[in-house]
Amino acid sequence: MFHSVLLGLSSLRRREVLVTSVIIMGFALCLILPQWLQGTFIAGSDLLFHYNRFYDTAMQIKTGHYSYFMTLFGFQASGRIVNALYGPYFAYFQGLLVLLTPSWLAYQLLSRWLIATLAGLSLFRLLKRINLNQWPALAMAMVYMTTFSIQYWTYRQGFTSWGAAIFPWCLIPAIDYAQKHKISIGRLALSVALMTQVHLLSTFFLVLSYLPFYAYGFWTDQQKGQAIKRIVASMLVFVLLSLNVFLPLVQVNARNTLLAPFVNKSMAANTINGTASYWLATPVLLVILLIVFVGWQLLKWRQASALSRLTFLSFLGFSFCATSLFPWAWANAHHIKAIETLQFPFRFFVPALVFLFLGLGLLWKNAFQQKSWRRLGLAFLLLTALTGWVQLQVILPQQRGYRNSYNTIPNGKHLRVLTDDAGIRKAFSSKDKADLLALAVKSTPDYLPQTSQKTDVNYYDVYDELVIKPNEKYQKVQTGQELQVTWQAQSAGQVELPVIAYADSRLTLNGHKLTKKDYSRGLIGTVIVHQVKGTNHLTLSYQSPKTFVFAIWLNILSWIILGIWGLFHHKA
């Protein structure tokens, strides 16, 4: 992914590429420098969920024990399915980063630097696509790096930021078609497939962003038949590139009733004009940029190009959805699942922000003629980037209470810490990354198989009681694609084990293969078997459908072919 962005930049002048890359990477280093020098870590609300995901893939890579579906190492080695339903390839990429870094602190610093660099290069490439000059494009890219859309990963470990980092680059095919009626089959398919591998919700935003640009482009296209053929071809290539994501989603959901991520019952509050106002005001001068953009666009509306108008209307549409002006409270009251899956309306501000910078770039390119005005605008953009740096290091942590999470993981709802702050600090810097995950445990029931239709069950508490708390009584060993569980029993009888079985799970107890009649499952798929007195052994594996194995190889082959194509068509 990072490499593909750099390949896209190769069409620019070599000197411009070098200078731009060095400045963006250097500024990304400045963003993490205070944390690096202090040796502190930041524990956000999603840290344990994602760190468990990445620890699992890291250990799979390290040991060679691969299981695409089952969790073998993370999440209490419970055998639950997570990564297969949540950006599987990108989870292995993150696992590789975890494996290459000596501690969780080092991983946090590296991932922060990488996401900021990626975001800067991504927006810079988008702005160069509309032929904006290097320095305003670079200044806007630096501002984008300081926005909460990107720093959400820093303070909350929110995965939306990774989608935000590549969103500008993935938007380029829509700009190409609206401007030039140009459709590159490989480029369009790659953009959507890449986002799909990273973050599904961001893929929804990306496709939504495409609609007005492709609608306008198609309306003005003189060769509509050719455009339809290329779009259909792009969709077919996209399907091949995304088989590893969608096939598990279909197969696992078809055979199981999965627990969805939590439903936010106060969506109207989590908007950019509500409790999430820091999305709008990070950096604080972003508000001025927004006001200037809206006022400037309205003032120049009659003279504005079609692309500029489409950008402005897209900005307004996504901004509207990010505020409480959208009827989020009504959607909550009527339990509209399609809307409730969005969870936090402030996520709509990610594409809105990209359209803000794109719109500013279009206006800048067409408006600034005098050097004095250009210099003034550049000075303000650089001041905004500097303000963002200060706000991220000083103001925002104090306002939002993030300072309280530096060097500690406080006990909270569905979160238990089994040591003191000193123990957590030591675990975060430990070479054994399992230490942190053993000392701080959070019950997250996402994607567990629901075996009961009871509506009054708190599945967070159930997961804590059935998986986390009893886990230390069992010895778990990973062999190949299997999880082996060993325990001692004082007497024979029924026992509920802290491992999860799905419809396609396979179990062997004390050397005997179990049929569906030989065991049962608890509320969240925990395995219930008949133990014997003394030592017991259970082997858990997952039998993926034969169609999936074929699809994975087809998917990998498609990525290889696309990579070879990219070597010869590397204009991005």
Side-chain angles (χ1 to χ4, degrees), residues 7 184-191 193-194 237-238 241 555-569:
L7 284 177
S184 169
I185 296 173
R187 180 64 174 82
L188 176 56
L190 174 62
S191 295
L194 190 60
V237 175
F238 160 72
L241 295 174
N555 174 255
I556 293 173
L557 180 62
S558 300
W559 278 101
I560 292 173
I561 292 173
L562 185 67
I564 295 172
W565 172 86
L567 292 176
F568 298 96
H569 303 81

Side-chain angles (χ1 to χ4, degrees), residues 186-208:
R187 180 64 174 82
L188 176 56
L190 174 62
S191 295
V192 186
L194 190 60
M195 187 66 84
T196 301
Q197 296 293 340
V198 174
H199 194 232
L200 272 178
L201 181 59
S202 296
T203 306
F204 168 72
F205 290 153
L206 181 66
V207 173
L208 207 59

Side-chain angles (χ1 to χ4, degrees), residues 9-22 134:
L9 289 168
S10 64
S11 62
L12 303 172
R13 292 176 298 176
R14 192 169 298 176
R15 180 176 177 276
E16 183 177 291
V17 171
L18 179 61
V19 171
T20 298
S21 300
V22 169
Q134 177 186 7

Side-chain angles (χ1 to χ4, degrees), residues 111-158:
S111 66
R112 283 192 61 195
W113 177 83
L114 181 62
I115 195 172
T117 299
L118 191 60
L121 291 173
S122 179
L123 185 68
F124 179 80
R125 187 65 193 104
L126 173 64
L127 295 177
K128 289 301 297 182
R129 199 65 158 199
I130 60 170
N131 297 316
L132 185 63
N133 289 337
Q134 177 186 7
W135 298 112
L138 178 57
M140 289 183 197
M142 291 169 65
V143 175
Y144 186 56
M145 293 161 68
T146 69
T147 63
F148 203 82
S149 291
I150 305 303
Q151 298 305 322
Y152 188 36
W153 174 248
T154 296
Y155 294 103
R156 294 279 186 81
Q157 288 76 55

Side-chain angles (χ1 to χ4, degrees), residues 125 137 163 167 186 213 220 240 311 336 381 412 439 467 508 519 568:
R125 187 65 193 104
F167 196 97
F213 293 89
T220 57
L240 291 174
T311 300
I336 302 176
L381 286 172
L439 294 174
V467 178
T508 301
Y519 70 95
F568 298 96

Side-chain angles (χ1 to χ4, degrees), residues 11-175:
S11 62
L12 303 172
R13 292 176 298 176
R14 192 169 298 176
R15 180 176 177 276
E16 183 177 291
V17 171
L18 179 61
V19 171
T20 298
S21 300
V22 169
I23 292 176
I24 286 177
M25 289 188 288
F27 187 61
L29 182 62
C30 290
L31 290 173
I32 70 168
L33 195 58
Q35 183 187 359
W36 191 356
L37 294 176
Q38 295 169 17
T40 58
F41 69 86
I42 305 171
S45 54
D46 288 337
L47 179 139
L48 291 175
F49 177 74
H50 291 300
Y51 280 25
N52 269 282
R53 292 205 303 128
F54 304 153
Y55 176 74
D56 185 69
T57 54
M59 292 303 294
Q60 287 191 30
I61 296 170
K62 181 179 180 179
T63 62
H65 301 315
Y66 290 95
S67 177
Y68 193 87
F69 286 88
M70 283 191 354
T71 299
L72 297 177
F73 299 90
F75 297 103
Q76 293 75 45
S78 57
R80 61 185 291 187
I81 297 175
V82 178
N83 283 326
L85 307 175
Y86 200 128
Y89 285 171
F90 197 61
Y92 279 99
F93 169 76
Q94 292 286 349
L96 183 61
L97 296 183
V98 171
L99 196 61
L100 293 175
T101 48
S103 65
W104 283 119
L105 176 58
Y107 164 75
Q108 188 172 85
L109 290 167
L110 176 61
S111 66
R112 283 192 61 195
W113 177 83
L114 181 62
I115 195 172
T117 299
L118 191 60
L121 291 173
S122 179
L123 185 68
F124 179 80
R125 187 65 193 104
L126 173 64
L127 295 177
K128 289 301 297 182
R129 199 65 158 199
I130 60 170
N131 297 316
L132 185 63
N133 289 337
Q134 177 186 7
W135 298 112
L138 178 57
M140 289 183 197
M142 291 169 65
V143 175
Y144 186 56
M145 293 161 68
T146 69
T147 63
F148 203 82
S149 291
I150 305 303
Q151 298 305 322
Y152 188 36
W153 174 248
T154 296
Y155 294 103
R156 294 279 186 81
Q157 288 76 55
F159 218 67
T160 302
S161 289
W162 286 100
I166 64 171
F167 196 97
W169 187 81
C170 293
L171 191 62
I172 289 176
I175 305 304

